[in-house]
Amino acid sequence: MQRIILASQSPRRRQLLEQIGIRDFDILVPQADEAYDAALPPEEIVSSISRRKAEAACALAGDAEAVIITADTMVFLGGLRLGKPRDQVDAFTMLSALSGRIHQVCTGVTVCRGERMETRAETTAVTFRPLTQDEIWGYIRSGDPMDKAGAYGVQGLAALFVSRIEGDYFNVMGLPLALLGGMLADFGVNLFS
């Protein structure tokens, strides 16, 4: 198999690559400008950031034959972007806002090799059941929400908050696998061989 580089420090993205059979890959964490125009649609925001990460990773990798994967995931509630919480109070505010409501998780994915670069986006609608303050604080005390966009990780204790998902479950974890698999196939990476 070709050399694959995951340009992300996310342990969840590493796990997801391994889940689809990619076990031999390198990790590279490029520094990229993550500023964006808030007036853009969510899919364009995450796509542009993912693309900038890929450009930085390509320059850092110095290997024109390597297949490089980058991603950027954001949580949107209405027109409001929910990033990683600054502290426990910020996490409480975010989770309280998500309680009983539908929000969108958007991920931009970029795959590149040499001069060729493709970027696509995936959006998944997630519905939280109504949450009590005790549930929210109990979850916050677990420490799980502090490094996650929207202050939750669907693969952990917060799975108890989710009453419905419309779209790619793995997108909510930070890497839409069906989308990525198709993109990798376009770059000649056959995951079924």
Side-chain angles (χ1 to χ4, degrees), residues 26-43:
D26 298 321
I27 300 290
L28 188 65
V29 183
Q31 299 299 315
D33 178 15
E34 295 193 28
Y36 61 91
D37 179 353
L40 292 173
E43 293 83 1

Side-chain angles (χ1 to χ4, degrees), residues 178-193:
L179 176 70
L180 176 62
M183 293 173 76
L184 289 172
D186 290 346
F187 278 80
V189 178
N190 183 350
L191 298 173
F192 294 99
S193 64

Side-chain angles (χ1 to χ4, degrees), residues 81-103:
R81 174 191 168 261
L82 303 179
K84 295 177 183 176
R86 294 180 303 278
D87 54 32
Q88 290 186 343
V89 172
D90 195 30
F92 181 84
T93 301
M94 287 184 196
L95 292 166
S96 296
L98 294 172
S99 175
R101 298 179 69 189
I102 299 171
H103 61 276

Side-chain angles (χ1 to χ4, degrees), residues 6-23:
L6 174 63
S8 172
Q9 60 188 0
S10 166
R12 289 159 297 283
R13 290 188 180 126
R14 285 182 221 154
Q15 287 175 315
L16 290 171
L17 277 191
E18 290 170 354
Q19 182 175 323
I20 60 171
I22 301 174
R23 289 183 178 77

Side-chain angles (χ1 to χ4, degrees), residues 7-77:
S8 172
Q9 60 188 0
S10 166
R12 289 159 297 283
R13 290 188 180 126
R14 285 182 221 154
Q15 287 175 315
L16 290 171
L17 277 191
E18 290 170 354
Q19 182 175 323
I20 60 171
I22 301 174
R23 289 183 178 77
D24 185 20
F25 59 92
D26 298 321
I27 300 290
L28 188 65
V29 183
Q31 299 299 315
D33 178 15
E34 295 193 28
Y36 61 91
D37 179 353
L40 292 173
E43 293 83 1
E44 287 185 38
I45 292 171
V46 295
S47 292
S48 66
I49 294 171
S50 175
R51 194 167 189 86
R52 276 184 255 139
K53 288 179 180 179
E55 290 165 352
C58 286
L60 194 59
D63 182 350
E65 294 304 310
V67 175
I68 298 175
I69 301 165
T70 64
D72 189 74
T73 301
M74 292 185 180
V75 174
F76 294 88
L77 180 62

